[in-house]
Amino acid sequence: FPLSATKLPALRSPHRGERSPAHCRGECGLPGHGVHDATTDPAAVRALFAAAPRATGYGIACGRVPHRLIGIDLDVDPAYGSDAAGALRQLALQHLFTIPATVTVLTPSGGRHLWLTGPADATVPNSAGRLAPGIDIRGSGGYLVGPGSVTAHGRYRLAPGTAHLTPAPCPR
């Protein structure tokens, strides 16, 4: 689905201005429901982007069948000494799991998004900083900014050596 330069959905809600807005998740058939507009149908994708000519990027819905994409968002904040990648490595050592080789997207701020396949028997929710400072999880109802997208802070791009990979299974 189309994103603006602010990483927010590029299409406005068709329900804005309603007195008691419906909690529609696209059931009305109109575009403008953000992550709920996400589709893999080429004609529907073209229609969404035609309706959002100022879109500078695209979002990829997480947590959906069949792939159940989960994003591990590793932020970098030098002002606070935040090293989310180091914190993830520490968690892996403490909890005895391996961080798998997987599709990795580099963010304009110097962070990275690790793409993983979520478990079939669990719904993975979104969270921010719950595992460790600077580690956000994008799961069911969340989205990742797709590589090639341009935001106000720069371009998202695939990390070298990961373009040929598929999202690895999420460590238990």
Side-chain angles (χ1 to χ4, degrees):
F1 64 98
L3 294 180
S4 69
T6 61
K7 302 189 289 185
L8 294 173
L11 293 171
R12 289 188 176 184
S13 169
H15 307 293
R16 74 180 185 283
E18 292 180 4
R19 279 197 163 167
S20 56
H23 294 290
C24 177
R25 291 188 168 142
E27 291 90 3
C28 68
L30 298 172
H33 297 89
V35 71
H36 302 291
D37 287 342
T39 180
T40 58
D41 175 45
V45 170
R46 283 192 292 278
L48 284 170
F49 279 85
R54 294 185 185 201
T56 62
Y58 62 101
I60 301 170
C62 294
R64 291 188 177 178
V65 173
H67 304 293
R68 301 171 312 280
L69 180 66
I70 303 300
I72 310 297
D73 180 357
L74 303 173
D75 294 327
V76 173
D77 190 347
Y80 300 104
S82 174
D83 176 18
L88 182 62
R89 287 190 300 274
Q90 185 62 36
L91 285 170
L93 287 172
Q94 286 175 342
H95 298 281
L96 304 174
F97 67 87
T98 302
I99 302 168
T102 193
V103 176
T104 302
V105 175
L106 303 177
T107 71
S109 65
R112 55 189 53 220
H113 295 166
L114 305 181
W115 291 19
L116 301 167
T117 300
D121 60 348
T123 299
V124 176
N126 295 303
S127 68
R130 184 174 174 191
L131 294 178
I135 299 178
D136 300 336
I137 305 299
R138 297 294 168 247
S140 183
Y143 63 91
L144 293 167
V145 177
S149 295
V150 177
T151 69
H153 300 286
R155 180 178 300 274
Y156 284 69
R157 61 193 200 291
L158 284 169
T162 69
H164 70 284
L165 299 173
T166 58
C170 187
R172 286 277 179 196

